[in-house]
Amino acid sequence: MLDTPEAVVEALRENNERPHGLQRTITAEELAEAAEPFEEPDVLVTALLELMAAYEFTGEHRKSPVVFARLLKLWEDSPEAFSQWEAHQVFWRFKWVTTSLLQVPDVPLATVQGWIDRMGGFYEAAGHEVQPVAAMRYHLAAHTGTGADDAFDLWATRPRSELSDCEACETRYLAWHRVSAGDDAGALDSWRPVLEGAQACTEEPQMSQARALLPLLRTGRADEARSHHLTGYRRVRGNTGMLDEVGLHLEFCALSRNEGRGLEILAENRPLFGATGAPLSLLGFLTGVEVLLARIVADGHGAAAVAGPPGRNWTAGELLAHVRGEAEHLAAAFDGRNGTTAVGDRRRARLAQLPLREEPLPLGLRSPVVGSAAPESGPAAMAGAAVPEVPEDFAGLVREARRLGATGHPGAARLWTRVEDRLAAGEHPGEGLGPGELLSAELAEHRALVLSREDRGGRSVSELRQAAELFGRAGAPWRMLSARARALAWESVPDEDEEAGGSAEGAGPDGPGAFRAALDEVLHEAELLKEREPLTGGSSAGADGTAGGPGQERVLEYLTVLFSRAFAAYQEVTAAPEDAQAAAMERFEECVGALRSEAEGLAVPHQVANARQFAADLAFRRGDAAEAEAELRAALADVESSARPWRGSRPRVLLAQALLARSEPGEASELLHRAIGDAVRYDDTEFPLAPAYALLGHAATHLGDAAGAVRHLSEAAARFDRDGALAEAADLRLQLADVLARDGQLADAVAVLESVLAGGADGVLDERMLAQARLTLARGLRELGEHLAAAEEFLLLADVVAGWEEDGPILTMVAADAATALAEAERWEAAEAAYERAVDAHAQAPNPAAVTAMMGEFARLVMAGRGPGGLDAALGHLARADEVRKAVPEGAEDFAPWYVAGMVHYRRARVLAECERFAEALAEAEASVAAHEGGGENGEEPRAEAVRIAALIEGNGLGRYAQAVTRLTEAARRCRHAGLEEAARILGALRQDFLNREGS
């Protein structure tokens, strides 16, 4: 019942401990109403201040000024009802009223100006500095776009006062003024104290993080932008008091080409569409939504389903029209109230922005792909890519595709795709391109290559066989033999395409012997053809548009036949059982040797490099890393002399893998950068970019380059996502989270782990990897102080590991961690249930280290929550911890009895000291020191802490400064001897303090 002032005050105290949100606001309204009837107004003053704060931090700016008006009336009638803190809040919250009035277009500008003038009068009458008043005049000028620079100077040049906004918020205003003036670099320089964590408050750094995202992108500081998006968004999501900030994160997603991530954020924040208490902030949110949706619709995805205001389904196009109408109406209302176009101009400027990147900025998160947010061209879309020009003339297009294909240039694939598209659209090939069968054969070759990338082995082989038949009919015997050989080679790889069902006519069912015979027959035909058409010829372009003339074409196709034999032999030797290894190895050496010797004799170095790569791979498999490395370095030299530099990317990746295996990340990193750069430059869409970026991330990790590791692992994960390799992507994100956590970027790591676990990882990661990810997430949340969220993760994990019969101690550990997290979150009923669950689990599957740690933490937290009234409960937890310790068999693994004994005595000493039972507390502290002696070197640091507590009890509690000084002198000397300089410094400082007190 709330029928006494004491009951209302207690309810206000409890409500003040709740997080800001709907429940706290509703309760604050009820408590203000309950405080109204009391004769003395002091409780009503407290209740109104609490209600105003609830409105302020949940974006209910329409209501806040009404509450403040009531407070001012009480201030005028009964100033004695205000405590010193409450009186200070009256002056402080004048600023809240000004910003709240600016939020509502229905409030005339004259009313806003009048409140600022009234604020100035109150400040001057009370003798306060007027810098905060100048700040409000600047906010008004910046909002209306009238006299902002002059108002800024009048505010920024005045000294701060006790009523000035906190330093972090003022830093945000300073920086945002520079952003508005087009000075991104200057703004970021101003923002440094907030973005680096030196300045903070309840609203910072999350408000500045949102505003700094685009300036960071525009100045090329993409790594920082990624980090501030990951950490900043977690602090604002779903918060009705942070509408602007959510809108800025949506805008960042659109302009960094992360539209899929933007749609996820939109779905998480659907309730914000109904947050109408702060119209100006709502306009900011809607404008961010509009920027995102406009990009999606412009990319041709207006029919895509998106999350909008609850109550109906929305497409991107429908929601865009709805949001645009709402935002235009709001902007017009503000401009009408202000008599300027400033609000509408700012909105239009945001909408006019173009993406700041051609490809998505890798965020390290799993997000759905939306349209062109994942460019089909992949790396070729990046700056500097040597993408072949696409001739408009069809005959020119075919000739260019043939020319590039003859040189092995990877860019030919793009042109052949264009040829096929134009034919499918009904274009006629015309004359001058040779027989129709020739073009059909070349397109079949191209389709085979595309299918092979999709692991559609049976269908790709079928296309190659069709190409061979067509080449034969077109009078191109060399190309016919080459296609036949490749079909056999590809068919030698196990076909995983169940739908295609394999090739019905191939040699596969008869095993490797049939492949060998068939390929040898193709080689025999090639040798006969050599006698009729020698492998010599001019170097000029042929009549059909190919490069190098017919003689060079014969050389290349002949070597392709040899390469196909070597490829099939490689497949055979790697799959052969032990009793067939010798014969398979002999065949491999013969085929690879033939390819190499013929390629050397015919001066085709890129095929020599291919032979060396086969040999290198087999050397790796045998464990001969030195031979493998030598072959790969020689292969790279061959590539350099081949005039086909695009051939070097794969051997560079293989060599980088070898170097990483023997801990040489420096050269490996250089090789990987070159491999990726060449793949991009030459439009090599077959190059496995995702694994290469993953290796580059590992190399950066070994080099200690955390920023590089984050960048490359994020890129790799995003590319695995696009390739549909979800397990590889999830595994990389776990590695990414580990790198971030070890680099001190714990909030970033938590954001990545949340993404992994929220992205359907159940069907991607195995149960144990998933459990490890959840454990890491829970511990990260705990370290960030998000105890309730941590507890939820621990409880989810406990349900999973409960079925691991062979790993029972893990359940005990997780239950104990869940109990502690719930206690930290002050959910005591749930905490006690989890506590008993951990005790019961320990009885079945002992984990004494985890259970005793939980009991010690409960003793600490009970005292923190209840004070001396929690003494009996705290001592009870510590007694249970002693019982657990004593029951552990001697020599048990993963349990240090000296440490637990020391911890229990240490915690009991602190509990007793808090209740001023100093003599008993000192005895417990000394027992803790003695227990830690049993840990040898490992016990020195906790021993030093126990000495510190003993000295504090002895000096401050018992007044025995001399004894405390003696204790501290010996302990500091011991710490220095053990190399614990920081502990020695702390003990020495306390010793000096006691000496000063003793002498005073």
Side-chain angles (χ1 to χ4, degrees), residues 381-533:
M382 298 168 61
V387 181
E389 293 187 9
V390 180
E392 287 299 320
D393 172 60
F394 186 83
L397 175 63
V398 172
R399 290 191 180 96
E400 181 64 5
R402 286 172 173 171
R403 185 186 70 81
L404 291 177
T407 63
H409 194 295
R414 184 186 307 281
L415 301 187
W416 283 120
T417 297
R418 183 62 179 149
V419 170
E420 194 159 40
D421 289 345
R422 287 174 67 169
L423 286 172
E427 190 158 352
H428 192 275
E431 303 295 329
L433 294 175
E437 292 89 350
L438 177 62
L439 183 57
S440 297
E442 290 165 326
L443 290 172
E445 275 190 315
H446 170 64
R447 288 193 297 273
L449 182 61
V450 172
L451 288 166
S452 71
R453 293 183 207 142
E454 301 172 1
D455 294 327
R456 308 297 292 273
R459 291 177 58 192
S460 63
V461 168
S462 178
E463 290 286 353
L464 273 178
R465 291 188 183 282
Q466 182 184 359
E469 181 182 344
L470 288 166
F471 278 130
R473 286 157 52 186
W478 280 110
R479 300 188 72 176
M480 175 189 69
L481 291 174
S482 168
R484 281 175 55 196
R486 278 176 286 150
L488 287 164
W490 289 9
E491 201 173 12
S492 70
V493 181
D495 183 8
E496 298 177 0
D497 187 354
E498 294 181 4
E499 178 182 326
S503 172
E505 60 178 306
D510 298 324
F515 281 122
R516 288 196 298 268
L519 281 163
D520 287 346
E521 175 59 29
V522 174
L523 177 60
H524 176 67
E525 292 180 38
E527 297 290 351
L528 293 176
L529 192 56
K530 270 171 59 179
E531 296 177 5
R532 300 195 301 271
E533 299 180 9

Side-chain angles (χ1 to χ4, degrees), residues 663-873:
S663 301
E664 293 187 24
E667 187 183 356
S669 179
E670 293 174 9
L671 288 163
L672 289 164
H673 276 294
R674 173 74 186 277
I676 292 170
D678 281 352
V680 169
R681 184 173 301 111
Y682 299 112
D683 194 19
D684 188 352
T685 55
E686 292 183 68
F687 180 76
L689 275 168
Y693 274 112
L695 286 171
L696 192 53
H698 297 154
T701 302
H702 290 302
L703 288 168
D705 177 12
V710 169
R711 190 180 316 122
H712 303 315
L713 292 174
S714 298
E715 180 75 39
R719 290 184 179 278
F720 274 125
D721 276 342
R722 293 179 210 168
D723 295 340
L726 301 183
E728 290 84 349
D731 180 61
L732 277 171
R733 289 192 172 98
L734 297 183
Q735 296 176 43
L736 171 61
D738 181 62
V739 170
L740 288 165
R742 285 190 282 110
D743 191 50
Q745 301 179 67
L746 185 57
D748 299 55
V750 162
V752 171
L753 288 168
E754 285 178 334
S755 171
V756 171
L757 292 169
D762 285 342
V764 174
L765 294 173
D766 67 58
E767 186 179 57
R768 290 186 177 271
M769 285 186 70
L770 200 58
Q772 182 59 53
R774 198 172 294 283
L775 177 62
T776 306
L777 172 59
R779 289 174 171 172
L781 289 165
R782 181 176 61 193
E783 288 187 49
L784 291 174
E786 299 180 33
H787 298 296
L788 186 56
E792 291 172 355
E793 295 296 336
F794 280 127
L795 290 170
L796 286 171
L797 181 58
D799 291 340
V800 172
V801 303
W804 296 0
E805 295 182 4
E806 72 280 12
D807 289 316
I810 295 177
L811 174 60
T812 306
M813 174 196 71
V814 173
D817 280 337
T820 303
L822 286 164
E824 290 274 15
E826 299 184 357
R827 300 297 178 91
W828 283 102
E829 185 176 347
E832 287 162 4
Y835 182 105
E836 294 304 330
R837 182 183 187 183
V839 171
D840 291 344
H842 173 69
Q844 300 298 318
N847 192 332
V851 170
T852 53
M854 173 192 71
M855 292 168 172
E857 283 299 286
F858 264 67
R860 176 182 68 82
L861 291 167
V862 164
M863 292 301 294
R866 303 184 203 170
L871 176 62
D872 289 343

Side-chain angles (χ1 to χ4, degrees), residues 212-365:
L213 292 172
L214 293 185
L216 286 165
L217 265 191
R218 287 193 292 259
T219 54
R221 294 162 64 173
D223 290 345
E224 293 168 75
R226 174 195 301 110
S227 177
H228 288 305
H229 170 66
L230 293 181
T231 60
Y233 172 67
R234 292 187 69 253
R235 293 185 172 107
V236 304
R237 64 185 172 195
N239 187 340
T240 55
M242 292 282 174
L243 285 164
D244 262 321
E245 288 65 34
V246 175
L248 290 167
H249 281 280
L250 289 168
E251 180 179 62
F252 166 77
C253 289
L255 300 183
S256 66
R257 300 313 315 236
N258 281 284
E259 292 91 337
R261 166 68 168 164
L263 291 181
E264 285 186 333
I265 291 175
L266 197 59
E268 289 179 335
N269 291 277
R270 291 186 76 182
L272 298 191
F273 285 101
T276 58
L280 186 60
S281 293
L282 178 61
L283 175 60
F285 168 68
L286 293 176
T287 302
V289 174
E290 191 174 351
V291 172
L292 173 68
L293 294 174
R295 286 255 51 86
I296 291 170
V297 171
D299 287 339
H301 298 278
V306 298
R312 58 160 287 187
N313 296 325
W314 299 88
T315 66
E318 291 168 344
L319 184 57
L320 176 60
H322 172 78
V323 167
R324 181 169 288 157
E326 292 284 318
E328 286 177 351
H329 173 75
L330 280 173
F334 280 109
D335 284 345
R337 187 270 301 270
N338 299 337
T340 68
T341 62
V343 173
D345 289 343
R346 284 192 287 271
R347 174 175 172 272
R348 285 183 286 273
R350 288 177 70 182
L351 295 173
Q353 298 172 103
L354 296 175
L356 297 170
R357 294 175 63 89
E358 294 184 28
E359 286 201 324
L361 171 68
L363 298 176
L365 307 176

